[in-house]
Amino acid sequence: MEYKDYYEILGVKRDATESEIKSAYRKLARKFHPDVNKTKEAESKFKDINEAYEVLGDKAKRQRYDSLGSNWQGGQSYTPPPGFENFNFGGGQGGGYQSYTFNGEDLGGFSDFFSSLFGDMMGAGAARSTQGMNFNGFDFGGQPQSSGSRRARRPQTPKEDLDITKTLNITAKDVFNQKPIGVNFSEMERCTQCPPGGGYCSSCGGTGFNNVTKSIKVKLPAEVKEGQKVRLKGEGKVDAYGQAGDLYLIIHFQDREYEIDGSDLTKDIEITPPEAVLGTKKEIETLHGKIGIKIPTKTSTGQILRLKNLGLPKKAGGFGNLNARIKIIIPKDISAKQIELYKKIQES
């Protein structure tokens, strides 16, 4: 059979510390995980990486492996010394180890080399207890679960939803300026600093989650509509593999001055009863600046004066319209003399 140099597979020295081995393993596991890396050699490398960490991440297995000596090289033909394969560290019953599975797909089991050395340690009783983030049956926050444990967990744990959906309140001015606007929000995310084995984590205080505050910039599309979803790729949650979900912003218009309909705006223009009857001129504020408009005689409440090209930007270029909607109001400080004049008008 072929000798496996587990130190070479993880790219660490033989005197590497537990933390160095763990760090190297996590980096490689992220790189070659079958759900992340779609190349042909990824599955084979991922199996080797997990097998190497199954050994070097366990003190008993590492001690047994190191007892072979350091004169071996990966790929060499290897035959266990007489009786070595029967050496027992007091683990579970012989055999019992099964294959790796990801998304229900069988990727094969441990190598013959591994089985010859550690078959007696891979029974159901030898499964190591770990804590951390689980992804498709693989515990990434701690050590790889034994294959027997993986088999018992099927069907596989569904992938973590990394997408975030938030409501974005905007005004007509936000759309008109056509400049990126700041978006700030907080989201509870799983802590990635928790130590294996369930020890106290100073990062999350032992809760397993952190409140993460994010600040991003978003440019609104032209003619954006109420309820429209704007997708920001890669701005969602991040998992243990470095994969990021998307952020979806649901548009909600919150403008006290304008009603927004695509590129068109509607704004109320207040006038008094005499102005409605006799007509008048008004200076009004628009997003394009102040302009003067003429209110015709005999204007009624609700009547629309369409002001072209004074709305919001269009996708095809140019601007929509501003609809000036007439609203007749009674002044609060009306005098007694004015009231008498209204009475005479009513009597006539």
Side-chain angles (χ1 to χ4, degrees):
M1 71 185 72
E2 179 183 307
Y3 177 83
K4 295 275 190 178
D5 189 335
Y6 294 133
Y7 290 99
E8 182 180 345
I9 290 172
L10 292 184
V12 297
K13 297 179 180 179
R14 287 189 169 269
D15 60 353
T17 64
E18 287 185 27
S19 61
E20 289 173 337
I21 290 173
K22 186 181 298 180
S23 177
Y25 160 70
R26 287 182 171 177
K27 182 178 180 180
L28 291 172
R30 291 190 185 99
K31 182 178 180 181
F32 292 105
H33 193 285
D35 285 336
V36 178
N37 191 324
K38 303 300 181 181
T39 60
K40 292 182 179 180
E41 67 273 12
E43 288 186 3
S44 177
K45 285 184 176 292
F46 187 67
K47 283 173 53 182
D48 285 344
I49 291 163
N50 277 282
E51 184 172 308
Y53 189 66
E54 180 75 28
V55 175
L56 302 185
D58 183 290
K59 290 183 179 180
K61 290 189 181 74
R62 185 179 182 183
Q63 182 179 352
R64 182 185 292 192
Y65 177 71
D66 287 344
S67 70
L68 297 176
S70 59
N71 296 324
W72 294 91
Q73 293 182 355
Q76 284 184 323
S77 178
Y78 169 78
T79 301
F84 191 91
E85 66 272 23
N86 297 320
F87 185 74
N88 195 310
F89 257 87
Q93 300 298 318
Y97 48 89
Q98 304 200 29
S99 59
Y100 292 108
T101 55
F102 295 93
N103 289 327
E105 179 183 358
D106 193 341
L107 301 184
F110 293 110
S111 67
D112 291 340
F113 173 75
F114 178 95
S115 301
S116 71
L117 297 180
F118 307 108
D120 62 310
M121 301 179 69
M122 293 303 292
R128 282 176 284 159
S129 175
T130 61
Q131 294 188 9
M133 294 185 64
N134 184 280
F135 192 89
N136 294 328
F138 175 71
D139 190 352
F140 199 81
Q143 300 174 344
Q145 297 171 323
S146 70
S147 52
S149 175
R150 284 196 271 284
R151 178 74 61 161
R153 292 178 66 89
R154 296 180 67 183
Q156 302 300 327
T157 305
K159 293 183 180 180
E160 181 182 0
D161 183 7
L162 301 177
D163 292 339
I164 299 174
T165 301
K166 297 288 183 181
T167 298
L168 178 61
N169 297 320
I170 63 172
T171 66
K173 189 174 182 180
D174 291 329
V175 183
F176 178 79
N177 287 337
Q178 294 186 288
K179 295 179 181 179
I181 60 176
V183 178
N184 300 307
F185 63 94
S186 296
E187 188 74 15
M188 294 299 295
E189 294 190 5
R190 190 183 298 274
C191 179
T192 60
Q193 305 301 314
C194 289
Y200 179 77
C201 175
S202 59
S203 177
C204 66
T207 64
F209 292 88
N210 285 320
N211 188 27
V212 180
T213 300
K214 295 187 178 182
S215 179
I216 63 174
K217 295 281 188 179
V218 55
K219 185 173 181 180
L220 299 172
E223 297 187 47
V224 65
K225 299 184 182 300
E226 173 75 23
Q228 180 176 336
K229 272 188 176 182
V230 177
R231 178 192 178 198
L232 299 178
K233 189 175 181 180
E235 295 293 348
K237 299 178 183 177
V238 179
D239 67 9
Y241 303 98
Q243 294 185 115
D246 298 332
L247 171 63
Y248 292 91
L249 298 176
I250 301 178
I251 300 299
H252 175 60
F253 297 131
Q254 197 172 56
D255 196 305
R256 296 182 179 180
E257 187 174 1
Y258 297 99
E259 294 177 13
I260 305 170
D261 183 14
S263 60
D264 292 336
L265 299 174
T266 299
K267 176 178 181 174
D268 285 334
I269 306 299
E270 296 181 347
I271 62 174
T272 63
E275 291 173 332
V277 174
L278 303 176
T280 187
K281 291 182 180 180
K282 284 278 187 179
E283 183 178 76
I284 64 171
E285 191 76 47
T286 76
L287 294 174
H288 298 257
K290 291 183 179 181
I291 63 165
I293 63 172
K294 183 178 180 180
I295 309 294
T297 59
K298 301 178 183 179
T299 297
S300 301
T301 286
Q303 188 170 332
I304 298 291
L305 304 179
R306 183 163 286 106
L307 308 175
K308 293 184 177 181
N309 302 318
L310 291 178
L312 296 174
K314 292 183 175 180
K315 289 181 181 178
F319 296 88
N321 300 324
L322 171 60
N323 298 316
R325 182 172 56 201
I326 301 302
K327 183 178 181 180
I328 300 175
I329 61 167
I330 304 297
K332 293 182 179 180
D333 56 350
I334 188 170
S335 64
K337 183 177 180 179
Q338 288 172 323
I339 293 176
E340 289 299 321
L341 290 174
Y342 275 113
K343 287 181 180 179
K344 291 181 180 181
I345 293 173
Q346 186 178 34
E347 290 172 357
S348 66

